[in-house]
Amino acid sequence: MQQSLSAQILVINLKHSTDRWLNVSKQLDQLGMPYTRIDAVWGKELTQEQLSAVIDTSRSQREFHYQLTAGEIACYLSHLKAWQYIVDHQLDYAVVLEDDVCFSSDFKDIHEAIAAVSEPWHVLKLAAPFKQQPAITTRAIKQFDLVRYRKPPIGACAQVISLAGAKRLLAQRPPLFRPIDVDMQWQHELGLQVYGLLPYTVDNTHTHGSDIKSVADRRQVKRHPWRRLKHQLLLYLDGRKAAAEFEHTN
């Protein structure tokens, strides 16, 4: 008999993004899946003092290729609120969703699939909204394949965070110096066991405008091509280290 787990679906939503909220909540209601709203941080309301308190500018200059925008910082802070909710409520895990998503019918089975994951894990990816990444199947769970990544797919619209994962992430962030979806690709650096459940059950709607870009367009931020190349190389090496550790422990 599978152990009963304490879990919730957390949906990150800005208070003024009512259309997004109506869309995502309607879908979850139709699937018969309870959820909790997490009040997102609005980048336009952050003061310079608040931004400076959570951003590590010097580390961003060393280890990333552009300075984070207020919208990207607010997005990261919103996910931090979701992780803190997991810890405060001592949940075994939470499915953390952004509000501009759509679901496949298999999403209704996600809790049962998660309960069947016996491997130690911190993050389970449920979406790859922008670019697929090669995945290595470890075993089948119901209609899903449990997979590992050398480089987890970018995008933070849908992922499962365990209690241990939330604690581990909160112990290291803030300060912030990379966007959240990029940061969580660094499995070895952050000490994360990252898996995925394929086929993915969540996707970005790709129809809503970006709340991040509405604050400041990151495409207009000065970028440093050589630092980007360095970042990509180091991320590749981080993935190699994470893969080697996984092979050593399994």
Side-chain angles (χ1 to χ4, degrees), residues 5 38 46 50 58 64 71 87 103 117 128 131 135 176-177 186 188 199-201 206 222 225 238 242 246:
L5 298 176
I38 299 294
L46 293 174
Q50 290 172 317
S58 61
F64 199 55
V87 174
F103 307 95
V117 179
K131 182 180 180 181
L176 317 175
F177 59 96
W186 290 74
H188 182 266
Y200 296 119
T201 54
H206 303 287
K222 182 179 179 181
D238 182 273
F246 176 74

Side-chain angles (χ1 to χ4, degrees), residues 28-75:
L28 290 169
D29 288 339
Q30 289 174 340
L31 289 168
M33 304 189 74
Y35 51 90
T36 298
R37 179 180 175 274
I38 299 294
D39 191 25
V41 178
W42 182 221
K44 289 185 177 179
E45 294 179 346
L46 293 174
T47 66
Q48 189 56 53
E49 183 179 7
Q50 290 172 317
L51 292 169
S52 299
V54 297
I55 187 73
D56 187 336
T57 301
S58 61
R59 191 171 182 185
S60 182
Q61 290 173 347
R62 293 193 313 270
E63 301 183 34
F64 199 55
H65 55 280
Y66 68 85
Q67 186 69 42
L68 298 190
T69 68
E72 288 174 314
I73 294 170
C75 178

Side-chain angles (χ1 to χ4, degrees), residues 39-186:
D39 191 25
V41 178
W42 182 221
K44 289 185 177 179
E45 294 179 346
L46 293 174
T47 66
Q48 189 56 53
E49 183 179 7
Q50 290 172 317
L51 292 169
S52 299
V54 297
I55 187 73
D56 187 336
T57 301
S58 61
R59 191 171 182 185
S60 182
Q61 290 173 347
R62 293 193 313 270
E63 301 183 34
F64 199 55
H65 55 280
Y66 68 85
Q67 186 69 42
L68 298 190
T69 68
E72 288 174 314
I73 294 170
C75 178
Y76 208 134
L77 293 176
S78 300
H79 281 267
L80 284 166
K81 288 180 70 173
W83 302 342
Q84 190 63 55
Y85 184 98
I86 295 169
V87 174
D88 291 344
H89 292 80
Q90 287 295 288
L91 302 176
D92 289 304
Y93 71 84
V95 179
V96 180
L97 303 171
E98 295 180 346
D99 59 4
D100 53 344
V101 294
C102 53
F103 307 95
S104 75
S105 59
D106 283 339
F107 184 74
K108 67 182 183 302
D109 299 320
I110 207 68
H111 286 304
E112 189 175 351
I114 295 167
V117 179
S118 56
E119 294 82 353
W121 62 274
H122 300 111
V123 179
L124 297 175
K125 299 291 289 187
L126 302 181
F130 303 113
K131 182 180 180 181
Q132 297 285 337
Q133 291 291 343
I136 302 170
T137 299
T138 60
R139 63 187 179 93
I141 297 178
K142 292 179 63 63
Q143 67 267 47
F144 303 103
D145 286 331
L146 182 69
V147 303
R148 287 280 303 191
Y149 308 98
R150 176 164 289 178
K151 180 181 178 182
I154 202 165
C157 67
Q159 51 209 344
V160 190
I161 308 294
S162 71
L163 177 59
K167 290 179 178 178
R168 184 160 296 195
L169 288 162
L170 288 167
Q172 300 177 79
R173 302 289 186 267
L176 317 175
F177 59 96
R178 292 186 288 240
I180 179 171
D181 53 350
V182 175
D183 207 19
M184 293 185 70
Q185 291 182 300
W186 290 74

Side-chain angles (χ1 to χ4, degrees), residues 218-234:
R218 56 185 160 193
R219 293 174 299 183
Q220 297 177 355
V221 177
K222 182 179 179 181
R223 294 170 183 260
H224 304 271
W226 287 108
R227 278 180 17 205
R228 181 181 184 185
L229 182 62
K230 175 185 174 183
H231 172 265
Q232 291 173 333
L233 174 60
L234 292 175

